[in-house]
Amino acid sequence: MNIEVHELLVFPGPDGQAGNPLGVVLEGTSVPVADRQRIAAELGYSETVFVDDAATGAIAIFTPAIELPFAGHPTVGTAWLLARQNAPVDALRPPAGTVPVRYEPELTWVTARPEWTPKFDFRQLDSAADVENYPLPTEGQQYVWAWIDEAAGTVRSRSFPLDMGIQEDEATGAAAVALVGTLGRRVEIHQGVGSVLIAGPTGDGAVELGGRTTAVRTLELVR
């Protein structure tokens, strides 16, 4: 069995640098459910998506350690890829529920609910420098952040979802959704080594999350 995997970078900055790697298997039904966790661990991306029905947007999302009901950079990246490989979609349907999608020339947007996100230990620090110098945790799911410019809504952050099998995540869309759910305002998040996420409330308790995506390569796993 050969498995075609599209490798993407989701949430790169305006210069195209950084971004969180994502693996997407468009022919997800070719991969037995029992094999998906093992394959996600073998690929080693922070998340791997299996598309079960491109027309309806049905997807499954796996970290190297667990399956997730929802995640941010996998839904943004998968929506972007489907628009280029198949057709634009109005929504994706991970296990958590329906995720509306919309497209702009440079950005892909998804809408999700904060209650769908994993439980992060959010820690607000005093400065962006404190975020830069934060020591690597050894357990848990920590997300540290600080205002770069509170009036402008710009944030510096780092994410350490060790319970998901990820030491440090370059760009964490689910945490952005949860953070906006708490702050109740639009923010531009600068995470990791140069990723940029934009998120804001929709007014009905949900949060819209957007960013750029670029293609890296297509590879084949031979089973």
Side-chain angles (χ1 to χ4, degrees):
M1 177 177 66
N2 291 350
I3 303 170
E4 184 178 71
V5 182
H6 294 264
E7 182 179 315
L8 312 176
L9 283 177
V10 185
F11 301 126
D15 59 0
Q17 301 302 305
N20 199 355
L22 173 70
V24 181
V25 180
L26 288 176
E27 300 297 332
T29 54
S30 68
V31 182
V33 172
D35 293 339
R36 293 179 177 184
Q37 187 65 74
R38 174 178 52 80
I39 289 170
E42 181 180 338
L43 287 168
Y45 302 115
S46 56
E47 278 98 358
T48 298
V49 174
F50 298 88
V51 178
D52 288 321
D53 189 329
T56 65
I59 62 172
I61 306 167
F62 289 81
T63 78
I66 60 172
E67 182 178 4
L68 297 176
F70 166 78
H73 102 277
T75 48
V76 169
T78 301
W80 179 91
L81 183 63
L82 286 172
R84 281 147 184 82
Q85 296 288 323
N86 296 71
V89 294
D90 294 327
L92 294 175
R93 291 174 174 81
T98 300
V99 177
V101 174
R102 71 179 180 90
Y103 298 94
E104 293 180 355
E106 289 192 12
L107 306 180
T108 301
W109 296 86
V110 300
T111 297
R113 305 199 65 83
E115 56 265 30
W116 293 349
T117 64
K119 301 302 180 185
F120 287 92
D121 176 10
F122 285 96
R123 301 187 180 191
Q124 182 179 1
L125 306 183
D126 291 334
S127 69
D130 290 338
V131 174
E132 298 281 355
N133 296 321
Y134 194 79
L136 183 69
T138 58
E139 61 182 4
Q141 293 187 169
Q142 293 185 27
Y143 184 93
V144 297
W145 69 280
W147 292 111
I148 297 172
D149 184 333
E150 186 171 359
T154 53
V155 167
R156 178 73 176 99
S157 76
R158 294 172 68 193
S159 177
F160 309 98
L162 280 83
D163 289 352
M164 299 182 192
I166 305 163
Q167 188 174 61
E168 180 169 358
D169 203 21
E170 173 60 25
T172 313
V177 169
L179 181 64
V180 168
T182 299
L183 296 176
R185 60 173 293 185
R186 182 183 176 93
V187 294
E188 179 179 285
I189 299 172
H190 296 251
Q191 186 177 328
V193 299
S195 298
V196 178
L197 308 82
I198 304 168
T202 62
D204 59 357
V207 173
E208 189 174 50
L209 170 71
R212 299 169 181 83
T213 301
T214 60
V216 177
R217 61 174 176 160
T218 301
L219 57 96
E220 278 198 356
L221 287 182
V222 180
R223 316 309 303 163

